Amino acid sequence: MKIINYLSNVAIPFVILIIIIYGMIEKNKVFDTFCEGAKEGTKIVYNIFPTLIGIFLAIGVLRSSGILDAFLNIIKPIVNFLGIPMQIMPLALLRPISGSAATAVATDIMKNYGVDSNIGLITSTIMGATETTLYTIAIYTSVVGIKKTRFVLASALIADFVGMITAVVIWRIMS
Amino acid sequence: MLNKIWPFFIIFSFVYAIFNGNLDSVNQSIFDSAEDAVNLCITFLGTICLWNGIMQIASTTTFVNKLSKLLKPIMKFLFPDINENDKVYNEISMNIIANVFGLGNAATPLGLKAMKSMQEQNKDKDTLSNSMAMFILINTASLQLIPTTVIAIRNSLGSNNPTGFIIPVWISSICALTAGVISAKIFMK
C-alpha cells in the first residue's frame, strides 16, 4: 500500500522533470512553449463547461427525483452477483458512451461518497483506466468510411469490463 | 447520442418526482447542479492548464519519436501484417506513445493518418483489416500514464491524496488492454 502510494506520487514530478530536461537539451523555448500549452488548456475547460452544466442538471434531477435509486434497485441482483459496488454503476454504464458525461458522473459519485473513500478511489481508477470506447471507434472508422467493424466493439467492451473489475478488486485488496 | 438521452433523463425524472412527491428536492438540485459545474470548472482550470503546458513542451521535442522505437517487440506481436519499414509502422508507434503521454492533440491526428494509410493497403474497403481493428482497439484503451483530468477532479474535491490511485490505474489499464488484445486475437481466428 505504502509503496503504491509512493510510486503514484513520484510518477508525476518524474514525468515533468524528464520532459523539461528534454526540452532544454533540444534548446526549445521551454517557458514560452509551456505558456502556449497552458493557454490551450483554458480552451479545453471552456469547451467542456456547457456539457458539464447540462450533464450535472440531468444527473442532479435523476438522483433527487429518486428514479436513479429505483433503477439501480432493479439491476441490483446482477451487479451484486458480479461484486461491483452499486454506487459506481451509473459510471460503468455511461463510461463507454460519453466522455464528458462520464466525467460529470464520476465527479458526482466522488463528491457524494467521499473522494478518498473506497468508492471514490474505484471511481478514479475506472476513469483513468478506460476510454470513451464508442466515440473512439466511431471516429476511427468514419474517417476511412468503414462500415463493418467486425469484433472491435466486442473486444473493446471486454477490455472496459475487465478494467472496471480489476479496479474494484485492487481497492478491495488494498482497503 | 446525448440529444436523445438528455431530454429523456430530465422528463422521466420530473414525472417520477411528481408522482413520488420529491419535487422539492428536484427543485433544489436544479440550481445546485449549475453551481457545481461552475465550481468544478474553476478548480479544474489550474491543473488542466498546467498539464497542457507541460505536454506542449513534450510535443515540441523529439521525445515521442525516440520512445516509439522502444515499442518494436510489442509492435511485432500486435501488427504482424505491417512491415517495419512502412510509414504506417511509424505512425502507429508514434500514436501509441502520444497516447501514453496524454498528448491527445498529437495522438488523434497521427491515429487518423495511420488509419488512412492502412485503408490504402486494405483489400476489402468496407471492412476493417486485422491491423486496423487492433489499432482501434488499442486506441479505445486508456494508455495514458498520468490521468490528469481525474487528478484535477480529485484535487478540486479536496482529496488528501489526489495522485494515490495512479498505480492501480496502470494495473487496471494493462489488465483491460491484455483482455482486449487476447479476445481480438481469438476473434481473428
Side-chain angles (χ1 to χ4, degrees):
Chain A
M1 178 73 194
K2 268 193 180 146
I3 297 172
I4 289 191
N5 239 322
Y6 177 74
L7 286 177
S8 290
N9 288 331
V10 155
I12 292 177
F14 195 69
V15 168
I16 295 182
L17 192 71
I18 291 180
I19 290 173
I20 291 183
I21 290 177
Y22 216 95
M24 284 183 66
I25 292 173
E26 294 192 354
K27 297 196 172 59
N28 289 336
K29 287 183 183 156
V30 184
F31 188 71
D32 286 351
T33 318
F34 174 81
C35 292
E36 241 171 69
K39 209 167 162 189
E40 285 289 311
T42 59
K43 276 187 206 153
I44 296 177
V45 179
Y46 178 83
N47 287 331
I48 197 181
F49 179 62
T51 322
L52 273 181
I53 288 206
I55 298 295
F56 272 28
L57 174 67
I59 299 296
V61 294
L62 277 174
R63 189 183 287 287
S64 60
S65 67
I67 200 171
L68 186 68
D69 286 336
F71 172 71
L72 291 180
N73 268 327
I74 297 170
I75 56 167
K76 203 171 186 173
I78 314 162
V79 178
N80 277 346
F81 175 75
L82 292 170
I84 303 170
M86 271 319 284
Q87 297 91 325
I88 64 160
M89 273 320 286
L91 174 66
L93 296 175
L94 268 174
R95 185 62 181 131
I97 302 168
S98 163
S100 47
T103 306
V105 173
T107 311
D108 191 67
I109 295 173
M110 285 190 265
K111 212 172 66 190
N112 273 290
Y113 300 101
V115 62
D116 292 324
S117 70
N118 224 11
I119 298 293
L121 288 163
I122 291 171
T123 304
S124 307
T125 309
I126 290 176
M127 278 304 286
T130 53
E131 258 291 337
T132 317
T133 302
L134 292 181
Y135 172 79
T136 311
I137 294 177
I139 292 188
Y140 279 88
T141 51
S142 65
V143 72
V144 287
I146 275 178
K147 294 194 182 66
K148 292 178 192 141
T149 58
R150 295 167 69 199
F151 53 84
V152 167
L153 181 61
S155 284
L157 289 178
I158 289 173
D160 283 345
F161 181 71
V162 169
M164 289 180 194
I165 297 288
T166 313
V168 172
V169 171
I170 290 174
W171 288 108
R172 189 157 289 169
I173 294 169
M174 291 198 7
S175 65
Chain B
M1 190 82 188
L2 282 172
N3 284 328
K4 290 190 183 116
I5 299 176
W6 190 71
F8 181 83
F9 278 178
I10 291 176
I11 293 165
F12 269 70
S13 302
F14 283 12
V15 172
Y16 190 88
I18 290 167
F19 285 109
N20 283 274
N22 287 338
L23 219 49
D24 269 359
S25 53
V26 167
N27 195 27
Q28 183 63 41
S29 73
I30 292 172
F31 298 101
D32 285 350
S33 58
E35 198 186 314
D36 286 350
V38 176
N39 285 339
L40 177 67
C41 277
I42 290 174
T43 38
F44 203 87
L45 188 63
T47 319
I48 298 279
C49 288
L50 183 127
W51 273 105
N52 231 50
I54 297 292
M55 290 314 167
Q56 184 80 20
I57 300 176
S59 66
T60 54
T61 62
T62 55
F63 194 58
V64 172
N65 256 320
K66 293 222 172 95
L67 275 180
S68 63
K69 296 207 172 86
L70 295 176
L71 287 180
K72 224 174 187 177
I74 309 168
M75 289 287 290
K76 273 231 164 74
F77 172 71
L78 293 177
F79 304 98
D81 302 336
I82 291 179
N83 192 299
E84 208 184 296
N85 301 317
D86 204 319
K87 70 173 172 152
V88 194
Y89 183 93
N90 263 330
E91 287 164 3
I92 292 175
S93 48
M94 279 177 69
N95 163 274
I96 293 175
I97 294 294
N99 270 322
V100 168
F101 282 90
L103 304 167
N105 291 336
T108 311
L110 276 167
L112 298 181
K113 217 155 103 197
M115 281 303 286
K116 283 179 189 154
S117 313
M118 280 186 275
Q119 176 74 335
E120 281 166 24
Q121 298 168 8
N122 189 7
K123 288 187 189 88
D124 184 356
K125 300 287 180 208
D126 232 22
T127 312
L128 289 176
S129 67
N130 280 350
S131 303
M132 292 166 108
M134 188 56 87
F135 181 66
I136 294 177
L137 184 64
I138 288 167
N139 271 281
T140 64
S142 173
L143 304 172
Q144 195 176 1
L145 209 51
I146 314 276
T148 50
T149 315
V150 191
I151 294 172
I153 297 171
R154 291 180 60 79
N155 213 11
S156 75
L157 293 175
S159 166
N160 294 323
N161 189 356
T163 56
F165 68 110
I166 291 182
I167 302 288
V169 165
W170 294 352
I171 301 170
S172 305
S173 300
I174 290 168
C175 291
L177 186 61
T178 312
V181 169
I182 291 173
S183 77
K185 288 269 178 193
I186 294 170
F187 281 129
M188 279 177 198
K189 283 174 189 162

